[in-house]
Amino acid sequence: MTRIVGIDLGTTNSLCAVFDAHQGPVLIPNAVGSVLTPSVVGLLDDGRILTGYPAREMSVTRPERTAARFKRFMGTDDHRPLGDQKFSAPELSSVILKTLVQDARAHLGYQVTDAVITVPAYFNDNQRNATKLAGELAGLKVRRIINEPTAAALTYGYHEKEADKKILVFDLGGGTFDVTLMEIFEGTLEIIATAGRSQLGGEDFTESLTRHVLTEAGMEPERVEELEPLRYTRLRKLCEQAKIQLSDEEEVKIALPDAEGKLAENGDDITITRAAFADLCAPLLDRLKQPIARTLRDGECTPNEVQDIILVGGATRMYLVHQFLADYFGKQPMCKHNPDEVVAMGAAVQAALMDDHEAVEEMVMTDVCPFTLGVEVSKRLGSSVRDGYYLPIIHRNTTVPVSKEEVVATLYDNQSQVMVKVYQGESRKTKENLMLGELEVNGIPPGPAGQPIYIRFTYDMNGILEVEAIVHDSGLKFQTVLTHHVKGLNEQEIQRAVDRMQEVKFYPRDELRHQHLLHYAEQVIGEVNPMERERLEEALDQFEQALFDTDRELFEHRRGLLLETLDNMGYAFDDPEDL
Ligand code: ADP
Ligand code: MG
């Protein structure tokens, strides 16, 4: 068994896997017995933190004390309020990572210290470094950050060592979309090209549906979201369920909650058919096309030449996505691997590769750099000099590790200094790209304009960029390594975040299932009729009281009663294992 775990830190759900010598990559169950841990953090009134399923239930009834979908602001300066506190995306993510590591420890029987963490291929350096920081805040040594589609490809490659094919990985998760073209040949996995959008996922389909239902009901979605958060979160949850139901059914009814987020017995509802949902989502499906087209173009491949399509991410279960892919590629996607699980499993295969595990010694994998990397230059256009132009040095989808050089030149006579500004992105103007850092070159010997300066970029498998500048005539050499650049955070602030996260108190792991049940029942209260409500509230009060009691027998009895009450109302409390 390798000691490095593989972690899929998702927008919606996170998973942890480990490589076992006999079984290969295996997923680790959490405290409530599921391999999926919702990426939701809740702050209880007593200051303790809840994560996963109980926090997800809590987010319906107490949105102001929960945070979800925070991966979407990874790499920005944003903070989310949680009760009277505020947390950054790396801080919230570190809480999820800590939960996964505690679960791994309970399952494996030893402390886990090292991890491979996956990120969407299209994450830029800020987002990658913020993810690395999240790992460090959780006390983990982050051995490598790998791309989610690359991880999915590793799972595929591990199980299909004999294949000889061109494969497309189509990853539509909760909040991000990635597409990757790869080739597998005699155990070698070669990533050819990748592209994606970091702001497109299953959540956008839920959001579209929620807005549509509100509009149909004669309300303004933005106002409801702002002024009636309980109505909004409840409806969003119902729309999420409806969206999932539409993966199997032709039409669904969505009930309209009141301003308090409750459902009246004979309240209004709105019917949505598959076709109407597809129409509603047409603009979202349209946004999937550009990254696919770009990947195929970069990889010099036609839709026909793609032999298998691997589905990754829960949102690929949507009927309309299957239909979209069948139309685009003229073939049905492959459903052999569980789309929720392939990424974490692949991260565990990567962990085995890093550990030189004998089960993977025949496997070789090459990856690409997902963005163009370059420097800012000025251009002489006629008699004027204009700055802010981008000179690419390493083009996107170049196989890594790679080292490339370009020449720039001094603009003026006797220019002694040049500031080399390093960017990532595809735009012709640097202001539309992401600045990664800079390197000051000085002491250039006096001379006429046009003296050459050689700039060399070296990019490795870990996404670390080394920049070198050599002033040709003098042989002067300047160098910098661009890594650990977390936007808006200096060393001191990072240390403060580390200290702060060490203070966080988690709800005891063995009792999480009870919190899960409690918050589940609490959110069902909003859905049942007044008579049932009274009975459920009674059973819930009794259960809550017993939670604080030391009498275990009484507790089990009341737990049984609450489960039965829920069951009788048609709200059986499913073990997440069966979900
Ligand atoms: P992430 O990797 O971003 O955490 P997941 O791969 O877990 O995301 O996918 C979560 C998304 O998949 C959510 O938007 C969820 O609503 C959606 N999803 C899950 N199951 C289904 C289903 N059966 N039908 C449609 N959408 C689904
Ligand atoms: Mg995912």
Side-chain angles (χ1 to χ4, degrees):
M1 192 93 76
T2 57
R3 294 247 157 179
I4 314 172
V5 290
I7 294 178
D8 170 4
L9 184 61
T11 313
T12 327
N13 294 300
S14 296
L15 300 88
C16 180
V18 68
F19 194 87
D20 178 89
H22 304 292
Q23 301 169 63
V26 283
L27 293 161
I28 296 174
N30 62 22
V32 297
S34 167
V35 296
L36 294 182
T37 296
S39 305
V40 185
V41 177
L43 183 67
L44 293 171
D45 294 327
D46 65 7
R48 288 189 289 185
I49 291 269
L50 277 185
T51 55
Y53 283 100
R56 192 178 76 176
E57 298 299 345
M58 188 177 156
S59 70
V60 182
T61 49
R62 308 197 61 190
E64 76 293 352
R65 293 194 78 86
T66 51
R69 298 184 282 280
F70 34 85
K71 183 171 171 178
R72 292 193 124 177
F73 66 98
M74 204 64 134
T76 71
D77 299 333
D78 285 2
H79 281 69
R80 279 288 136 91
L82 205 57
D84 54 357
Q85 302 183 39
K86 276 192 164 151
F87 292 90
S88 67
E91 288 174 337
L92 292 166
S93 306
S94 81
V95 171
I96 299 296
L97 290 172
K98 248 190 191 163
T99 308
L100 297 174
V101 166
Q102 283 164 359
D103 291 336
R105 185 190 180 157
H107 184 73
L108 301 169
Y110 56 80
Q111 183 70 39
V112 169
T113 51
D114 293 36
V116 169
I117 303 179
T118 63
V119 293
Y122 225 60
F123 254 23
N124 65 28
D125 268 41
N126 274 341
Q127 293 164 308
R128 283 166 200 262
N129 287 325
T131 306
K132 215 182 269 175
L133 174 66
E136 284 156 20
L137 294 180
L140 279 170
K141 194 159 158 205
V142 181
R143 295 286 290 271
R144 187 164 291 176
I145 296 283
I146 64 166
N147 295 331
E148 286 162 13
T150 305
L154 280 170
T155 306
Y156 183 96
Y158 176 79
H159 290 289
E160 248 142 299
K161 298 198 175 79
E162 303 305 316
D164 174 4
K165 287 179 179 170
K166 270 207 173 120
I167 297 156
L168 187 106
V169 180
F170 181 93
D171 180 351
L172 190 63
T176 55
F177 171 55
D178 272 341
V179 45
T180 295
L181 181 69
M182 55 176 267
E183 193 160 5
I184 178 163
F185 177 65
E186 289 179 354
T188 302
L189 296 171
E190 186 189 347
I191 305 291
I192 302 171
T194 189
R197 288 178 184 271
S198 64
Q199 303 292 343
L200 178 61
E203 299 301 314
D204 296 293
F205 291 76
T206 305
E207 199 73 36
S208 282
L209 187 55
T210 313
R211 283 166 191 270
H212 171 75
V213 171
L214 285 171
T215 312
E216 284 286 289
M219 286 180 249
E220 268 181 62
E222 284 79 19
R223 282 182 67 84
V224 175
E225 187 173 9
E226 197 187 319
L227 302 175
E228 300 171 336
L230 289 171
R231 190 203 298 265
Y232 197 84
T233 50
R234 169 75 61 184
L235 181 64
R236 201 176 194 291
K237 183 178 179 216
L238 297 171
C239 286
E240 162 93 13
Q241 282 168 348
K243 174 189 80 174
I244 290 173
Q245 259 173 296
L246 281 172
S247 297
D248 299 314
E249 289 159 32
E250 269 303 324
E251 65 173 50
V252 290
K253 270 198 169 57
I254 304 171
L256 204 65
D258 66 16
E260 264 75 61
K262 306 215 168 66
L263 296 182
E265 197 168 358
N266 293 313
D268 289 341
D269 53 34
I270 281 170
T271 302
I272 302 281
T273 60
R274 253 188 191 174
F277 184 52
D279 280 347
L280 193 66
C281 298
L284 293 173
L285 289 176
D286 228 35
R287 291 175 61 203
L288 298 171
K289 285 184 188 156
Q290 190 223 357
I292 301 179
R294 196 169 99 175
T295 308
L296 294 179
R297 202 174 339 108
D298 281 0
E300 293 171 14
C301 177
T302 63
N304 269 336
E305 287 166 339
V306 172
Q307 283 155 291
D308 265 341
I309 302 161
I310 312 180
L311 296 181
V312 182
T316 59
R317 293 212 173 88
M318 280 187 287
Y319 177 77
L320 47 80
V321 169
H322 282 235
Q323 212 167 29
F324 166 82
L325 287 171
D327 284 350
Y328 198 105
F329 290 96
K331 60 180 72 69
Q332 288 296 331
M334 193 176 84
C335 303
K336 201 150 73 187
H337 302 284
N338 185 330
D340 297 318
E341 300 176 354
V342 295
V343 170
M345 307 253 257
V349 174
Q350 176 66 45
L353 282 169
M354 300 189 71
D355 244 9
D356 293 326
H357 199 288
E358 60 186 39
V360 292
E361 67 187 3
E362 307 273 282
M363 272 177 88
V364 180
M365 204 212 38
T366 65
D367 208 342
V368 294
C369 161
F371 290 95
T372 299
L373 295 161
V375 294
E376 184 173 80
V377 289
S378 300
K379 280 190 185 177
R380 204 177 274 283
L381 299 174
S383 59
S384 64
V385 172
R386 288 172 190 251
D387 50 20
Y389 289 92
Y390 186 48
L391 172 70
I393 297 187
I394 296 177
H395 287 274
R396 69 161 190 262
N397 290 325
T398 306
T399 301
V400 288
V402 59
S403 191
K404 287 261 160 90
E405 194 173 75
E406 281 288 336
V407 196
V408 297
T410 53
L411 262 184
Y412 309 102
D413 292 346
N414 299 325
Q415 184 177 343
S416 68
Q417 195 211 39
V418 168
M419 193 58 110
V420 180
K421 292 188 176 159
V422 180
Y423 286 84
Q424 176 176 69
E426 313 304 322
S427 287
R428 189 169 156 253
K429 297 280 182 66
T430 50
K431 67 171 192 289
E432 284 146 30
N433 293 329
L434 175 75
M435 183 164 170
L436 297 181
E438 51 192 7
L439 174 67
E440 192 179 308
V441 174
N442 43 39
I444 303 171
Q451 286 203 63
I453 298 165
Y454 291 85
I455 299 181
R456 174 166 287 279
F457 275 18
T458 306
Y459 196 72
D460 74 4
M461 289 288 274
N462 284 313
I464 290 172
L465 176 65
E466 191 183 287
V467 181
E468 245 178 347
I470 299 172
V471 181
H472 187 52
D473 283 340
S474 68
L476 276 177
K477 198 167 165 181
F478 300 84
Q479 210 173 22
T480 183
V481 175
L482 299 180
T483 168
H484 294 300
H485 172 83
V486 179
K487 194 169 177 235
L489 282 187
N490 59 32
E491 293 274 312
Q492 256 180 346
E493 284 165 319
I494 291 178
Q495 189 54 46
R496 264 211 296 279
V498 169
D499 295 342
R500 174 174 191 212
M501 295 323 287
Q502 270 171 0
E503 296 285 297
V504 166
K505 300 227 172 354
F506 284 76
Y507 196 83
R509 189 177 175 276
D510 338 344
E511 288 166 34
L512 270 184
R513 357 191 320 264
H514 308 322
Q515 281 291 324
H516 183 199
L517 173 58
L518 180 86
H519 289 286
Y520 175 77
E522 233 164 45
Q523 75 79 21
V524 169
I525 280 187
E527 294 189 13
V528 294
N529 66 41
M531 237 168 56
E532 288 179 324
R533 185 189 165 103
E534 208 170 303
R535 259 195 300 140
L536 182 54
E537 207 147 339
E538 168 80 27
L540 188 54
D541 286 348
Q542 299 269 321
F543 172 73
E544 197 172 12
Q545 205 182 5
L547 259 183
F548 298 103
D549 205 289
T550 47
D551 186 343
R552 285 289 98 181
E553 222 170 279
L554 176 79
F555 172 75
E556 285 304 332
H557 175 67
R558 289 187 176 172
R559 181 169 184 275
L561 279 182
L562 176 58
L563 287 172
E564 204 181 301
T565 313
L566 282 165
D567 209 5
N568 289 340
M569 293 174 184
Y571 286 91
F573 178 67
D574 284 325
D575 221 312
E577 249 177 351
D578 313 326
L579 283 183

